[in-house]
Amino acid sequence: MFGKTSGLMVVILFLFTVIAVAAAESIPPKVGTALPDIDLLMPDNSADRKYLGLPSGGKTFQVGRIKAKVLIIQIYSMYCPYCQADAPNVNRLYGLLESNPALTGKVKLIGIGAGNTSFEVATYKKKYSVAFPLIPDADFKIHKIIGEVRTPYFIAVKITDGGRNEVVYSRLGALEDVEQFLGQIVRTVQSN
Amino acid sequence: MKIKAVLLIFIICFFAGNACAASAAFENNIYNPGELKPTDSVLKVGVGNEAPAFTLPALSGKTVSLSDFRGRKNVVISFVPAAWTPVCSDQWPGYNIIQDIFESNDAVLLGITVDNIPTLFSWTNQMGKLWFDVLSDFWPHGSVAASFGVLRSDGMAERAMLIVDKKGLIRYIDVHNINQRPPLEDLVRELEKLK
């Protein structure tokens, strides 16, 4: 009798632990914390790898390996009307980053296609002439880790030496005012 | 026995629910029915069969018949289960940005649900202006879905994709897991086979 009760307690304790860990991971990234470990699919084109400062080879990479001081991450989907409408604004953000010598190479931008296959990511990239890397997340694996946020969602992380990172921006919603968004990111990073 | 039961309940609770990247466009307006039986109907048609004829009211105010396209266009029919549900709301907006892919394959898209026109009006308004016809299979309820064998026992349609060629013959059927969105590449690959 004691053995069965003890067994039940152990099973319940184990399951509560598993659920607690899962719940902790399913919260949207909070400012001041580190982004959870996510494995991003390595871009198959050399231009994207060069932009991110990644070597060729390897199936996945982590945020900490990107050569940048700050990484802006757009969580989007080709099936999301707000993301579609916001695509020109995000393209303009990329243009501002690449045309400002103070930011080029230091602040970089990627998109993660939540629930989007490689084909769907490529379709969106072509449709909106997206010049920055878009990473597929076909099975929602990354999307689950970062709290199943609605789209579009923007996260900015400061990448420190040694590949550690700190979330400095985390918000739901389209960019709309690109200059204001970029100014906020720059000020946040400068004040840290 | 009790241990097994408790274990089973925890596992079911832990893995319940479907993943979907709901667009902020639908925030607070989506009813999540949870994980549903993947398919719940018996197909009445097969690849190579002539597609059942139908005429349905469209959101645009006109009526659309499958025969309108005979000899002119390939027809992609996208049945989705219901308005205001998670996966459906994240399916047609994607097709809305690939009109060029349909046109390059000489195809039109017909979106069909068992909802009535007012519901479809409100729901699709969240998707932006759609280039394709949205048809209501509301009354007699689900009769077109039933004629294809994709009407579920609860009155919703399956998440089913069919391609009907210019001769009116069915060339592709995907009665997809209702909880998941069909990958776009599957549809495009099948459309390109028609060339």
Side-chain angles (χ1 to χ4, degrees), chain A residues 4 8 11 15 18-19 22 78-82 84 114-117 119-120 123 127-128 140 143-144 150-151 172, chain B residues 3 6-7 10 14 19-25 27-28 90-91 93-94 97-98 126-127 181-185 188:
Chain A
K4 279 188 178 177
L8 181 61
V11 168
L15 288 166
V18 170
I19 291 168
M78 79 160 274
Y79 294 91
C80 155
Y82 279 10
Q84 296 165 3
N116 291 186
T117 63
F119 183 90
E120 289 164 338
T123 301
K127 171 73 182 180
Y128 294 106
F140 291 102
H143 185 245
K144 282 178 183 166
R150 287 184 176 273
T151 53
L172 172 68
Chain B
I3 293 174
V6 170
L7 189 61
F10 267 98
F14 184 64
C20 67
S23 165
E27 194 174 10
N28 301 323
D90 284 333
Q91 186 173 342
I97 63 168
I98 55 165
Q126 314 300 311
M127 300 178 187
R181 186 177 53 226
L184 181 61
E185 51 268 45
V188 174

Side-chain angles (χ1 to χ4, degrees), chain B residues 7 27 32 44-45 51-52 61 63 81 85 102 104 131-132 137 165 175 177 179 182 184 187 190 192 194:
Chain B
L7 189 61
E27 194 174 10
N32 189 347
K44 293 179 182 168
V45 294
T63 56
T85 55
F102 283 86
S104 67
W131 62 268
F132 53 89
D137 189 19
D165 69 14
V175 181
N177 180 341
N179 304 294
L184 181 61
L187 173 65
E190 296 300 325
E192 288 176 349
L194 300 180

